[in-house]
Amino acid sequence: SKFNDSAQITIFQGDSQINSFNVYSEDPGAIEPFELQSGTYRIEINPRGASGENDYSLRLLDFASATTLGADVEVSGSVLPGEAAIYKIDMQAAQRLYYTPADLGGLSGSWTLYDQFGGQVESGDVTQSGPLPRIALGGTYFLLWDTNPEAGAASSNFRFTLSSGATAAASLAIGDTVHETLPAGDVT
């Protein structure tokens, strides 16, 4: 959601309130995922602290329709700038995957990894390679691959890989120096 100021968004089914949350212009990011059953809903958007018109955008994503991924397989797709692709992947406890963009077709944006309970685990820039966090609890995880909007832009093809990163151990001799960078708090 994006507002010039702040707003409260409330979702109703009939007269029953299903969810309510606040969004702020200084931090317009995504809220935690929540589940909606099939049905008819009413969404109320109540701007706060501003008079006149407020520009906003609101997008609902269907995690139930996420495309299943496996590790070490190239992912490809096509989206309009401002659209997102949603993937699900079953991961084991202590597993780590590495994100590597291949050809993004000029797209930019971010990826966000959610756990099976809808909690955000990690996020990053779709244009940057790097490790996802080591998973503490096995289960189904969701990768939201989100793109930045660009006025008048056409659909673009993209490719990236989530790899297990398994590599053969390197031989070391006494006195050899190894230079590696590990993310903070990670030991491999």
Side-chain angles (χ1 to χ4, degrees), residues 13-168:
Q13 185 173 35
D15 291 330
S16 299
Q17 180 178 318
I18 304 298
N19 199 350
S20 182
F21 50 90
N22 294 308
V23 292
Y24 305 93
S25 60
E26 37 315 314
D27 184 19
I31 62 158
E32 293 293 316
F34 57 93
E35 188 172 336
L36 294 175
Q37 301 300 320
S38 295
T40 301
Y41 295 88
R42 181 178 83 247
I43 300 173
E44 291 184 3
I45 302 171
N46 298 305
R48 298 182 175 178
S51 59
E53 293 183 13
N54 275 294
D55 294 330
Y56 68 89
S57 62
L58 176 69
R59 178 173 58 174
L60 300 176
L61 300 170
D62 184 5
F63 278 53
S65 67
T67 302
T68 302
L69 295 181
D72 302 314
V73 175
E74 185 174 87
V75 178
S76 63
S78 180
V79 295
L80 287 168
E83 291 184 340
I86 305 170
Y87 302 98
K88 65 182 173 183
I89 185 166
D90 289 328
M91 297 180 70
Q92 304 300 317
Q95 184 177 4
R96 161 173 277 158
L97 295 176
Y98 294 83
Y99 171 82
T100 307
D103 179 8
L104 302 183
L107 295 167
S108 62
S110 62
W111 57 262
T112 305
L113 184 66
Y114 292 96
D115 66 21
Q116 63 268 38
F117 307 110
Q120 182 176 325
V121 176
E122 186 74 43
S123 63
D125 187 318
V126 298
T127 65
Q128 302 295 312
S129 296
L132 277 66
R134 190 171 306 281
I135 298 304
L137 181 64
T140 300
Y141 285 74
F142 295 90
L143 181 72
L144 175 63
W145 199 86
D146 203 3
T147 61
N148 294 328
E150 295 178 30
S155 182
S156 295
N157 296 324
F158 63 88
R159 295 182 299 121
F160 67 87
T161 303
L162 289 178
S163 61
S164 58
T167 58

